[in-house]
Amino acid sequence: MNKLELLRTFIRVTELSSFTQASESLGLPRSSVSEHVQTLEDLLGTRLLQRTTRKVQATQDGLVLYERSKDLLSQMDELEGLFRQDARLLSGRIRFDMPSAMARRVVMPRLPQFMARHPQVELEISSTDRRVDLLSEGFDCVLRVGAQPDQSVVARHVSSLPVVNCASPAYLERHGVPLGPEDLADHRLIHYVGVLGSRSSGFEYLRDGKPVQVPMAGRVTVNGIDCYEGACLGGLGLIQAPLLGMARHLERGDLVEVLPGFRPAPLEVSLLHAGQRHLPQRVRVFMDWLEQVLQDAYEDVKRQTPP
């Protein structure tokens, strides 16, 4: 049996702390995953994983092997593609996560281009508005919008997304058009939070380059971008959302930008990957493609939207 494949299986089980999740991630039967780990333990003459009814945990020897084999496999992936002149020869599986709105509007419509260019690459795509754990859930790379407090991963800055303040025409007819932050006391904000039960920071804008927060009333709190947009389109209040997603609504007149001189700070867009010395070539190529797609999409929006 290929020793590198045994190591790949062992690494995935260690990262996910589960034979079942590792089998799903690798596309292998659970029995094969168990067999791979057992074969590796027999070859090395030591127990690598401590199995309990609740989870799988690496032994001390397993932790040593895990740290050393991660770099080894990364280097092998690098060597496999070192002398390939034709990028179409890229192969293997990439597990990737991105926000649902970014997936629907930007990435997925353009994905056939990448798949046609690299016919031997397989993609596992997660699209959620929650923050996945890149390491424990086995993702090769993750697209995130906003600040990145996680110091255990490497972040590649992709672009900055301008954020606009929007409301529906029907809402503005009922409540009037705010002309400055002092008018916000007479308005309602649709609150967006990562976890229901937490509090939003209110309406945010930049003054002399520094963020200012204005607490606002609001009867609706959401934790997903689709609900956020839907509530605004339904006339339930103001929202602050990336221009990239709002441009089509603004162009059609479904939404109206308000307080254009009081926009919040742009949102940083980053591609995250594990802090390894080497990334597999297929992951690097995919990340480069994603970066170009996002930059092209933003340039298109800038050309179509008045400043």
Side-chain angles (χ1 to χ4, degrees), residues 251-281:
E251 184 179 359
R252 293 196 301 240
D254 299 330
L255 295 179
V256 177
E257 182 178 4
V258 297
L259 299 173
F262 299 92
R263 289 182 175 182
L267 292 174
E268 300 302 311
V269 181
S270 304
L271 279 167
L272 311 185
H273 64 85
Q276 303 171 175
R277 260 204 315 267
H278 301 285
L279 273 178
Q281 187 183 16

